[in-house]
Amino acid sequence: MTEREIRILAIESSCDETAAAVVVNGRDVRSNVISSQIALHTLYGGVVPEIASRKHIEKINQVITQALEEAGMRLEEMDAIGVTYGPGLVGALLVGVAEAKAISYAKGIPLVGVHHIEGHICANYIENRELEPPFLCLVVSGGHTHLVRVSDYGTYEVLGRTRDDAAGEAFDKVARAIGLGYPGGPKIEMAAREGNPHAVEFPRAKIADAPYDFSFSGLKSAVLNYLNGCRQKGIPIVQADIAASFQKAVTDVLVENARRAVREFGMERFAIAGGVASNGALREGMREMCRSEGVAFYSPSPVFCTDNAAMIGVAAYYDFRNGKRDGLDLNAVPNLKLGAR
Ligand code: KG4
Ligand code: ZN
């Protein structure tokens, strides 16, 4: 007997993408609609929270309608509404949460609040049907750098995290400093293609008592000091070389910490997730590390690395299956911790 399909309508609005998706049985993405605000925030050199919230309100109904249309399904056919309720910008999160609660109440459809980082991790399930816990996952996004042990669906243990800037934040700040602008990650990756990764020896920070923790603020300062030094000495600034050297420094630290964890925890599978995981140099570095350590490597396609609602639908499915339901008192939690509930 075939089991009945479980259909999830997922909503994501934690930062600067308004997104909705329909996901069937956890891994089958029927639609994935993303309305990006990048062009709007580029005018200001970064995400302006108040503008992000207002734009989410304008777009949210449109993206939901489109996600249902592309999936060829009606709202009434959904088994649950999955929505990101944290972490993220509070005003932005509230738009998605309020929308999900309104639909849940009006249609009598169960509500499942999803942790944004869990969503990023779950993006790996979409194109890797054979991937199942346990595995290690490095989540590298604009707000987070977490090395996580995924021991089961919905069971996460944070082994290490950044002590200061997130990896994506470092990309964004360095891009701004060298005049590449916003969004920093893709612009640095593009510039780095023309540059020499060994042109400038930037520091690779290690944290003595916490081998899986990260620190990127020293690297950011080193880039700023290097730029100041060049200006004082009248040395021309070669954007591409700085971009390539910075990207190599970030990648080396992420890869070496991941290698250590893979060895220490004897994991057979390793995955990456989050916006920075769409970086080609990082993907290549991790693939090579996994090959040399003899572990299987997983990564979502770039479209599932950066913020999207399909990944929220996947996470919501496993939460739903585990019996998780939220009430209409579900609230946005801007600093929600992973594994907190
Ligand atoms: O996961 P995400 O879309 O949003 C958060 O949850 O933060 O990640 C956005 C971050 C930004 O800092 C952006 O600069 C970075 O991911 N990013 C990249 C690339 N594409 C996006 N970083 C490096 N290389 C890329 N190709
Ligand atoms: Zn994200």
Side-chain angles (χ1 to χ4, degrees), residues 5-66:
E5 284 188 344
I6 304 240
R7 300 160 169 186
I8 311 267
L9 170 68
I11 300 172
E12 155 65 40
S13 69
S14 66
C15 189
D16 58 348
E17 330 279 354
T18 322
V22 173
V23 178
V24 173
N25 290 342
R27 298 193 180 213
D28 183 2
V29 176
R30 297 289 173 93
S31 63
N32 185 34
V33 179
I34 304 167
S35 169
S36 174
Q37 305 179 2
I38 284 178
L40 185 65
H41 297 291
T42 299
L43 299 173
Y44 306 95
V47 178
V48 184
E50 191 52 41
I51 294 177
S53 317
R54 267 186 265 159
K55 206 70 194 167
H56 284 311
I57 293 174
E58 262 176 48
K59 293 284 177 184
I60 195 135
N61 283 320
Q62 260 169 268
V63 300
I64 291 173
T65 305
Q66 195 181 332

Side-chain angles (χ1 to χ4, degrees), residues 166-186:
E169 198 177 346
F171 268 92
D172 294 335
K173 287 177 176 170
V174 166
R176 193 175 310 161
I178 61 176
L180 288 171
Y182 171 87

Side-chain angles (χ1 to χ4, degrees), residues 12 14-17 87 116-117 120 139-144 166-173 175 182-190 193 246-247 273-282 302 304-308 311:
E12 155 65 40
S14 66
C15 189
D16 58 348
E17 330 279 354
H116 184 76
I117 301 299
H120 275 301
V139 187
V140 269
S141 73
H144 305 271
E169 198 177 346
F171 268 92
D172 294 335
K173 287 177 176 170
Y182 171 87
K187 294 207 166 156
I188 289 208
E189 178 171 13
M190 193 107 79
R193 284 193 196 126
F246 162 78
Q247 182 174 273
V276 183
S278 60
N279 183 281
L282 178 63
F304 295 124
C305 286
T306 44
D307 286 349
N308 66 87
M311 68 185 196

Side-chain angles (χ1 to χ4, degrees), residues 46-188:
V47 178
V48 184
E50 191 52 41
I51 294 177
S53 317
R54 267 186 265 159
K55 206 70 194 167
H56 284 311
I57 293 174
E58 262 176 48
K59 293 284 177 184
I60 195 135
N61 283 320
Q62 260 169 268
V63 300
I64 291 173
T65 305
Q66 195 181 332
L68 288 165
E69 266 174 25
E70 286 181 16
M73 292 178 191
R74 290 175 298 117
L75 205 45
E76 291 74 12
E77 293 176 283
M78 297 298 121
D79 294 284
I81 313 290
V83 63
T84 306
Y85 74 108
L89 301 169
V90 67
L93 288 164
L94 274 171
V95 177
V97 169
E99 178 83 10
K101 290 200 285 191
I103 298 173
S104 168
Y105 179 66
K107 300 286 179 187
I109 303 172
L111 181 67
V112 180
V114 173
H115 192 292
H116 184 76
I117 301 299
E118 275 192 47
H120 275 301
I121 295 169
C122 289
N124 277 286
Y125 296 134
I126 298 170
E127 297 153 299
N128 301 299
R129 300 292 164 110
E130 76 287 6
L131 176 62
E132 287 189 9
F135 62 93
L136 279 182
C137 186
L138 176 75
V139 187
V140 269
S141 73
H144 305 271
T145 306
H146 280 21
L147 191 57
V148 181
R149 174 152 61 168
V150 183
S151 36
D152 202 348
Y153 292 108
T155 309
Y156 305 92
E157 183 195 344
V158 180
L159 304 175
R161 52 163 58 84
T162 180
R163 296 283 181 101
D164 38 61
D165 292 349
E169 198 177 346
F171 268 92
D172 294 335
K173 287 177 176 170
V174 166
R176 193 175 310 161
I178 61 176
L180 288 171
Y182 171 87
K187 294 207 166 156
I188 289 208

